[in-house]
Amino acid sequence: MEMALKLNATSFRPPRRPDFARLTPAAATFKSSEFIMDSKDVHKLVHHAQVTHSLPPEKIEIFKSIEPWAEKNLLVLLNPVEKCWQPQDFLPDPASDGFYDQVKELRERAKELPDDYFVVLIGDMITEEALPTYQTMLNTFDGVRDETGASPTSWAIWNRGWTSEENRHGDLLNKYLYLCGRVDMRHIEKTIQYLIGSGMDIKTENNPYLGFIYTSFQERATFISHGNTARLAKGHGDLKLAQICGKIASDEKRHETAYTKIVEKLFEIDPDGTVLAFADMMRKKVSMPAHFMYDGCDDKLFDHFSAVAQRLDVYTAKDYADILEHLVLKWKVGNLIGLSGEGREAQDYVCRLAPKIRRVEERARERAKQAPQISFSWIYDRKVQL
Ligand SMILES: [Fe+2]
Ligand SMILES: [Fe+2]
């Protein structure tokens, strides 16, 4: 359990220039100041030097040069709106005579779901609802950002299309949770507002190499986690909720395909730079997008949510290791040849990392057996085993 916390939470480490920056003298660093959430809650969020623009200009050019590739290979992975599912397809229709009955049925089914399941589903919903942060993040990446908000480049079209598809995830889960009557919507809404206000600190340095490795990892993580909430909903007899989580998971899978394809292409063009970026991202650890989660009460809310997700096997440190291993195989990192000395070191590091994480995970699982119960504002302060 502690492992999950360690992997997921922001690490407050002293300023350090990452490996990738060593190769890129243009990289600039600045120290962010502590920032204040509001007059009462001083949330010390970012404590390390933030590296910016670590990718040198000649490498940024790569992204311009592969735009036709992106058009052909990436944009086809966006579904046309007319063919997309919409949240309304899975929710009671407020214009129909059967609306009240449908809501009643939904609430009957939700009665069978335990509190710990709700904690995880709510955390997942809140994570999805911080979408403005993720679109912002995509648009921090040099060479692929949407320069105008309506830029016609393939990268910008992808960013907007991806966002528009993702937007349905938070909408659907939010409306489901609102209707089910089991959760404290006001506390959940506050958490979303705090989270969007806090942003995220994932150390991608405006660098699309790091950025697309991060998104590859994250889309797979959300695919796994929504897939598991679907499986558990089915186990609790709520087939409609299982369908909802499953639909979302299938979007995440398609998005994973897109981002892993970009990185695959980068490995083809620039194996050395890409393997260095991969190792750098893994050394920094892939923070979860909602790592700054806060509800106004619990200073360790994200850790507590992660611990429950870990205990329910929705998203675990083992999943983290599995994703890493999956990406190493998918990108055939072990087979790369002609690397520099540093590149070979990075290759070795990422190829050997997954078993190490698994060993730490097993020890953390042993320790987690005496975990306490914690109350969550999201479910009216009812207590849940971590
Ligand atoms: Fe999503
Ligand atoms: Fe996603």
Side-chain angles (χ1 to χ4, degrees):
M1 194 166 307
E2 251 168 53
M3 183 62 196
L5 311 188
K6 275 209 190 94
L7 289 171
N8 295 333
T10 327
S11 46
F12 296 104
R13 57 174 73 203
R16 181 179 75 91
R17 285 177 71 82
D19 296 339
F20 201 75
R22 269 194 273 150
L23 296 182
T24 54
T29 63
F30 70 88
K31 243 196 168 129
S32 64
S33 51
E34 295 171 357
F35 85 84
I36 294 171
M37 300 287 290
D38 66 37
S39 56
K40 276 191 198 129
D41 304 297
V42 182
H43 228 127
K44 295 169 186 172
L45 295 177
V46 180
H47 274 247
H48 62 92
Q50 295 191 37
V51 179
T52 58
H53 304 288
S54 63
L55 196 68
E58 65 274 14
K59 292 211 176 184
I60 294 169
E61 286 303 311
I62 291 175
F63 293 89
K64 233 175 249 159
S65 72
I66 61 170
E67 234 204 280
W69 174 89
E71 187 183 351
K72 240 178 97 193
N73 293 275
L74 217 54
L75 299 190
V76 292
L77 289 168
L78 290 170
N79 277 351
V81 178
E82 294 302 330
K83 291 196 173 150
C84 274
W85 60 265
Q86 295 299 337
Q88 188 53 59
D89 302 336
F90 306 98
L91 292 164
D93 177 2
S96 87
D97 289 338
F99 178 66
Y100 292 112
D101 289 335
Q102 291 163 29
V103 172
K104 230 175 164 177
E105 283 163 27
L106 185 154
R107 293 162 76 97
E108 284 302 319
R109 287 193 303 270
K111 276 187 188 152
E112 303 302 316
L113 298 165
D115 279 342
D116 51 11
Y117 179 84
F118 273 111
V119 165
V120 175
L121 192 66
I122 292 164
D124 285 354
M125 180 269 257
I126 290 166
T127 305
E128 294 287 349
E129 287 286 54
L131 182 61
T133 301
Y134 317 140
Q135 187 177 28
T136 301
M137 187 51 65
L138 283 180
N139 285 324
T140 67
F141 301 156
D142 292 332
V144 296
R145 73 170 57 83
D146 183 352
E147 296 280 355
T148 63
S151 160
T153 69
S154 299
W155 300 111
I157 293 169
W158 168 264
N159 287 0
R160 292 192 300 270
W162 174 86
T163 306
S164 69
E165 287 192 1
E166 286 283 340
N167 189 50
R168 300 168 320 152
H169 302 174
D171 271 7
L172 177 52
L173 292 174
N174 194 324
K175 283 175 181 148
Y176 169 84
L177 284 164
Y178 169 77
L179 289 173
C180 83
R182 293 277 311 273
V183 303
D184 185 337
M185 282 309 293
R186 194 167 195 288
H187 268 105
I188 294 170
E189 286 162 347
K190 254 174 70 176
T191 313
I192 296 168
Q193 187 174 356
Y194 270 122
L195 184 58
I196 295 174
S198 307
M200 71 201 286
D201 177 29
I202 54 170
K203 309 185 183 83
T204 43
E205 309 173 2
N206 310 95
N207 180 328
Y209 281 54
L210 296 174
F212 289 136
I213 289 163
Y214 179 88
T215 52
S216 297
F217 196 103
Q218 253 338 306
E219 293 290 355
R220 189 164 180 85
T222 48
F223 161 66
I224 290 170
S225 122
H226 291 304
N228 283 327
T229 52
R231 177 178 54 78
L232 291 176
K234 196 173 164 200
H236 293 299
D238 193 337
L239 297 183
K240 292 250 171 154
L241 180 58
Q243 194 189 18
I244 285 174
C245 298
K247 273 286 160 191
I248 297 173
S250 71
D251 274 6
E252 310 291 14
K253 182 79 200 157
R254 189 160 39 79
H255 295 163
E256 177 203 332
T257 304
Y259 289 120
T260 52
K261 270 193 171 189
I262 301 175
V263 178
E264 200 172 73
K265 188 73 182 162
L266 292 175
F267 267 115
E268 190 187 307
I269 299 170
D270 178 14
D272 216 56
T274 312
V275 78
L276 284 168
F278 192 14
D280 182 33
M281 204 64 242
M282 295 316 302
R283 282 201 180 97
K284 290 189 281 198
K285 297 191 178 75
V286 180
S287 305
M288 295 301 278
H291 60 151
F292 286 153
M293 191 181 269
Y294 181 58
D295 60 352
C297 326
D298 181 356
D299 277 329
K300 291 198 164 160
L301 179 59
F302 181 78
D303 293 351
H304 294 152
F305 154 63
S306 303
V308 181
Q310 167 104 6
R311 186 174 58 77
L312 296 194
D313 272 333
V314 170
Y315 184 70
T316 67
K318 185 183 166 294
D319 291 319
Y320 186 100
D322 291 349
I323 295 170
L324 164 61
E325 197 164 69
H326 172 87
L327 294 175
V328 167
L329 289 173
K330 165 110 195 152
W331 294 328
K332 303 186 177 73
V333 180
N335 301 347
L336 294 173
I337 43 167
L339 298 174
S340 67
E342 275 187 313
R344 280 200 303 277
E345 217 178 280
Q347 177 186 37
D348 206 47
Y349 173 73
V350 291
C351 290
R352 287 166 191 252
L353 187 55
K356 280 187 205 158
I357 294 172
R358 285 199 193 97
R359 277 198 297 277
V360 181
E361 197 259 342
E362 277 159 27
R363 286 200 294 272
R365 282 235 171 199
E366 276 307 303
R367 282 200 304 275
K369 283 183 179 154
Q370 321 93 20
Q373 290 204 332
I374 290 283
S375 62
F376 284 84
S377 70
W378 302 336
I379 49 169
Y380 298 98
D381 289 325
R382 292 193 297 269
K383 284 195 167 173
V384 162
Q385 180 77 44
L386 292 193

